[in-house]
Amino acid sequence: MLRPRRFATEVDPGPVQIQARQVHFDVSGIPLHWIPGHPVASNLISLLNVVLPDAERWFVATFNEALPYVKDPKLADDMRGFIGQEATHADVHEQVMYDFMVEHGVNPEPILAQIEYMFTKVLTPSTSSDPKRRFNNLCERLWLIAALEHYTAVLGDFALNCRWDDHGAHPTMVDLYRWHGAEEVEHRNVAHDVAVYFRDSYVDRIRAMCIAMPLMWAFFERGMWYLVKTDPSVELSWWQTQRQRCRDSGLGLLPKWRTLFFTNTLDYFRPGFTPEQMGSTAQAVAYLASSPAARSARL
């Protein structure tokens, strides 16, 4: 699939309305290793179908909790668009998890149990009777979402520019992850803007990232290893899995860990950081205009 190119400098596409696209992906008959010859890359990217639904529904619930406090009409409109997109992402990836992964014999329950515990037990709203404590808790969760959305935007930009096509990846799966990635780039400013609106605090931003980065790394590492070791068609040790991950990163099929978890994290630590500095809205919008699923979607 041809995809819009990334320009050296950002091209301003003008005002972009963030809105959900009711997409559908027919994943029947697609092999589990949808990037031929690359089981680690295929499994690691497919892990998103397990991790994302509960996480994104937590984003939605937190934003719905915060929305009544927002008096800025533009920000409130962006939040509603963000909520719609994230809810759609959760539904689509959950459907793919069952129609694609479970159909291939993958048992996602051990990973799902950990994800569900994190987002429904640990990161729940405060039940304190003190309104100030409840508000502080909301601000902390909004900053954590902003930190996690930093990584989803980085991954979205990677999806738009990676080399899956060059290695024969199945076009439906490519479109699935590029559609999602493009929407992550499209709304990459929203979570940061919301967190700043509620409490513009550099300390809160860094503290949230210090939670988000190890959380993301742990889920990627544990999830990747679980899917590989339970994959009946491959026999790889943990070290072999890591070597293949590094090889696939070098081929442009996966992001490099040092870039994802080190370079991009350091960028976020800069006092003057804004999400506009990463990714390209023009490229994201152009891809959404050409994506087979997005073109046939209901808005």
Side-chain angles (χ1 to χ4, degrees):
M1 179 190 301
L2 294 176
R3 60 188 185 275
R5 60 176 290 195
R6 171 76 175 273
F7 293 94
T9 56
E10 172 71 330
V11 178
D12 184 6
V16 175
Q17 182 179 8
I18 300 169
Q19 56 187 334
R21 299 166 179 86
Q22 301 302 316
V23 297
H24 173 73
F25 297 91
D26 181 3
V27 295
S28 58
I30 298 176
L32 185 61
H33 301 160
W34 54 274
I35 308 175
H38 297 276
V40 172
S42 297
N43 277 310
L44 180 52
I45 299 163
S46 293
L47 175 66
L48 295 173
N49 298 304
V50 184
V51 173
L52 290 176
D54 278 345
E56 294 187 303
R57 287 180 180 129
W58 177 73
F59 292 179
V60 168
T62 306
F63 266 48
N64 277 325
E65 180 186 348
L67 189 56
Y69 296 99
V70 177
K71 306 306 178 186
D72 182 326
K74 175 63 168 64
L75 183 60
D77 190 50
D78 286 347
M79 289 177 71
R80 284 187 281 268
F82 177 95
I83 288 168
Q85 287 189 346
E86 294 294 296
T88 301
H89 297 168
D91 291 343
V92 168
H93 284 291
E94 185 174 66
Q95 193 65 46
V96 171
M97 178 179 66
Y98 287 108
D99 291 352
F100 174 66
M101 300 179 72
V102 174
E103 280 297 307
H104 278 290
V106 176
N107 175 19
E109 290 303 323
I111 306 173
L112 284 174
Q114 297 176 46
I115 298 292
E116 182 180 1
Y117 181 82
M118 177 63 65
F119 290 106
T120 64
K121 302 295 184 183
V122 178
L123 297 174
T124 53
S126 171
T127 57
S128 172
S129 59
D130 184 348
K132 185 175 181 179
R133 286 192 175 184
R134 292 199 303 271
F135 182 78
N136 286 339
N137 174 263
L138 174 60
C139 291
E140 289 169 357
R141 284 180 284 128
L142 290 172
W143 270 116
L144 182 56
I145 291 173
L148 292 170
E149 279 286 300
H150 173 67
Y151 288 116
T152 61
V154 169
L155 291 171
D157 186 52
F158 170 81
L160 288 170
N161 295 284
C162 68
R163 301 186 63 185
W164 295 332
D165 318 68
D166 300 339
H167 292 266
H170 196 284
T172 299
M173 300 302 280
V174 171
D175 191 33
L176 165 66
Y177 297 113
R178 286 201 175 131
W179 154 75
H180 187 165
E183 290 198 342
E184 291 296 334
V185 172
E186 183 183 43
H187 71 223
R188 67 191 183 280
N189 294 298
V190 178
H192 181 82
D193 290 347
V194 171
V196 168
Y197 179 87
F198 274 77
R199 188 160 64 199
D200 188 0
S201 167
Y202 179 74
V203 172
D204 282 0
R205 171 152 65 95
I206 299 311
R207 181 169 54 195
M209 178 53 77
C210 289
I211 297 171
M213 190 276 280
L215 192 67
M216 289 279 290
W217 178 84
F219 275 124
F220 270 118
E221 280 289 340
R222 289 170 63 87
M224 174 183 66
W225 175 230
Y226 172 78
L227 291 180
V228 169
K229 75 178 180 180
T230 58
D231 187 331
S233 61
V234 295
E235 291 186 10
L236 296 172
S237 68
W238 184 86
W239 282 109
Q240 289 171 323
T241 299
Q242 295 296 336
R243 287 174 62 187
Q244 286 206 17
R245 176 185 61 76
C246 292
R247 181 201 65 173
D248 290 344
S249 295
L251 294 172
L253 302 176
L254 292 173
K256 295 179 179 178
W257 260 205
R258 66 177 180 271
T259 302
L260 180 62
F261 294 117
F262 182 71
T263 305
N264 287 303
T265 303
L266 288 182
D267 285 344
Y268 192 79
F269 283 171
R270 287 188 291 104
F273 168 83
T274 66
E276 291 180 0
Q277 297 164 1
M278 58 185 190
S280 166
T281 303
Q283 185 187 27
V285 170
Y287 182 78
L288 291 169
S290 63
S291 158
R295 284 171 61 89
S296 61
R298 293 180 292 105
L299 297 178

